[in-house]
Amino acid sequence: MATHARERLLDAAEELFYAEGIRAVGVERILAESGVGRASFYRHFASKDDLVVAVLQRRDQAWRAWLAERVEAFGGKPLDVFDALAERFAGADFRGCAFINTMAETADTGSAAYRVAAEHKERVTAYVAALLAERGHTQPEALARQFVLLMDGAIVTALRERTTAPAEEARAVAAAVLGDCRE
């Protein structure tokens, strides 16, 4: 079952990278945690870097789907992104943003992992811009960049402070940016 081994590798790597960092976790640890052999690893991934990229691509899809689902559950308004973040910050397994963490760890803007992380942020910005456009806000792209700046700041602050308050504070700033309007 090659596909099953690949999924076990991705699951183990995602959990370990998020909890401990990409550089801190070696291939041997991933193999041990996943129960997959070295030969099988190399059938699926040419290198650890390729595994990192695959983990990030999968996490991007899952995280954006989660965000859209939670925003819709809260009412589908742009400010609801902050309510979704507050919910995430309350989780015992919250370790910040896997994509911010990746960019900080790799720092090489030309690396594939960095590019995937940056693309994730672009997709999140596009999603927020669409929410803003649906509510009739002018310049939704510019507003979305401001929202994502607030979101990223809230994520980092929540990690540091271990509280949901940064999401609430970022929401208040975003509401002020929007004015009274359409939320």
Side-chain angles (χ1 to χ4, degrees):
M1 283 195 168
T3 305
H4 185 63
R6 186 178 197 282
E7 291 304 310
R8 289 191 346 239
L9 287 164
L10 288 168
D11 291 345
E14 183 173 0
E15 183 178 322
L16 291 167
F17 292 160
Y18 185 63
E20 299 176 24
I22 294 167
R23 289 185 181 174
V25 177
V27 171
E28 291 300 322
R29 178 91 183 281
I30 295 165
L31 295 176
E33 293 290 326
S34 67
V36 173
R38 181 176 300 284
S40 185
F41 174 89
Y42 287 109
R43 268 194 300 278
H44 297 288
F45 303 102
S47 67
K48 179 182 169 187
D49 289 342
D50 289 341
L51 173 62
V52 170
V53 167
V55 165
L56 291 172
Q57 289 169 333
R58 186 174 81 159
R59 189 170 185 107
D60 165 58
Q61 291 175 351
W63 196 88
R64 287 183 301 110
W66 168 84
L67 180 63
E69 186 273 322
R70 296 312 304 143
V71 166
E72 186 61 33
F74 282 114
K77 298 178 299 298
L79 292 176
D80 294 336
V81 298
F82 299 101
D83 298 328
L85 288 179
E87 194 175 79
R88 180 67 190 108
F89 298 168
D93 65 338
F94 176 69
R95 301 281 185 277
C97 171
F99 304 95
I100 292 172
N101 297 349
T102 296
M103 287 186 272
E105 267 197 79
T106 59
D108 174 7
T109 58
S111 75
Y114 192 99
R115 284 193 311 272
V116 170
E119 289 166 2
H120 165 78
K121 290 299 181 180
E122 291 169 12
R123 287 183 190 105
V124 171
T125 303
Y127 168 72
V128 173
L131 288 174
L132 290 159
E134 287 171 11
R135 299 298 254 191
H137 292 285
T138 58
Q139 300 182 327
E141 292 81 13
L143 281 172
R145 285 192 301 277
Q146 293 173 350
F147 267 55
V148 173
L149 178 69
L150 290 168
M151 292 166 68
D152 287 349
I155 290 166
V156 172
T157 304
L159 180 62
R160 185 184 76 235
E161 295 178 359
R162 298 295 182 190
T163 177
T164 62
E168 297 153 16
E169 293 162 1
R171 187 185 206 284
V173 173
V177 167
L178 295 180
D180 64 348
C181 305
R182 300 155 285 269
E183 263 190 71

